[in-house]
Amino acid sequence: MTRATLVRQRLLTLFLAGLLLFFSPLVPRFETLGRWQGLPLLLIYLFAAWAAIIALAAWILARHRD
């Protein structure tokens, strides 16, 4: 298996994980949990998941350059 194929597979897996994070029955549960430090937990969850996906994509692509 070539290195480019492995990177594509990892990015596809990350994409599918992102779909599950943003479009699953998990998201509405955060709407009803309330607030933390005055911020809605749904907002914290969405930004944390978004940041994690970006960080993982950057890590995957940075490893590909080496």
Side-chain angles (χ1 to χ4, degrees), residues 15-37:
F15 171 74
L16 294 174
L19 284 179
L20 285 175
L21 284 172
F22 291 118
F23 298 110
S24 70
L26 183 66
V27 175
R29 291 179 192 233
F30 284 96
E31 284 186 78
T32 61
L33 288 179
R35 296 178 173 269
W36 180 74
Q37 300 276 333

Side-chain angles (χ1 to χ4, degrees), residues 3 7 58-66:
R3 192 171 177 115
V7 169
W59 180 68
I60 290 169
L61 292 173
R63 287 187 63 205
H64 176 63
R65 272 207 223 158
D66 296 340

Side-chain angles (χ1 to χ4, degrees), residues 2-14:
T2 65
R3 192 171 177 115
T5 304
L6 187 59
V7 169
R8 284 187 188 124
Q9 287 178 353
R10 288 179 179 165
L11 289 174
L12 178 63
T13 303
L14 183 63

Side-chain angles (χ1 to χ4, degrees), residues 31-51:
E31 284 186 78
T32 61
L33 288 179
R35 296 178 173 269
W36 180 74
Q37 300 276 333
L39 293 172
L41 283 177
L42 177 63
L43 185 65
I44 294 169
Y45 168 75
L46 291 175
F47 277 108
W50 177 57

